[in-house]
Amino acid sequence: MSPDEMRTRLAELRAEVETLKAFIAAVERGDHDDEKSIASAAARLLPPTPEPKGMFRRSKPNAPDTRADQVRSLQRNSLVLQALNRMNKTLFPEIQELQFRLSTQ
């Protein structure tokens, strides 16, 4: 690979890293939430178990249902993890190798 080709590939890799960083930021803002899949996954989860009644049989207010929020958080974490894995396991090693090869020429 010629130095010009290496520089071009390095620029492509850096652009992809920036794209992935923007994607991660969008996921964390909630721009990539799929509400249909969140609702269906939340429906498959078990509802929260009711807490036992108090000592004098007074019922405690029901805890809010957080299943959809839990699914949303899991999906966001999964997307972020996939993007970070791509950057750390594929892009950064290749960037470092290209930088090293360019510096030794």
Side-chain angles (χ1 to χ4, degrees), residues 2-93:
S2 72
D4 290 335
E5 291 172 333
M6 284 191 270
R7 285 187 193 92
T8 303
R9 178 68 180 146
L10 191 58
E12 290 170 358
L13 292 171
R14 287 182 177 156
E16 186 174 352
V17 167
E18 292 304 317
T19 303
L20 286 172
K21 286 180 182 179
F23 174 76
I24 290 170
V27 167
E28 289 174 347
R29 285 191 311 268
D31 293 348
H32 290 276
D33 287 348
D34 182 5
E35 293 301 325
K36 288 181 184 178
S37 69
I38 290 170
S40 68
R44 289 190 304 264
L45 289 177
L46 293 175
T49 57
E51 292 189 20
K53 294 191 182 240
M55 188 166 137
F56 298 106
R57 299 274 184 215
R58 281 184 259 154
S59 63
K60 296 179 181 177
N62 289 337
D65 188 9
T66 60
R67 292 179 292 175
D69 292 332
Q70 292 171 348
V71 170
R72 189 173 288 112
S73 174
L74 287 170
Q75 286 185 349
R76 287 179 183 175
N77 289 341
S78 175
L79 289 173
V80 168
L81 183 63
Q82 289 172 10
L84 289 174
N85 280 341
R86 169 107 174 108
M87 287 185 341
N88 290 329
K89 294 182 178 180
T90 306
L91 300 179
F92 288 144

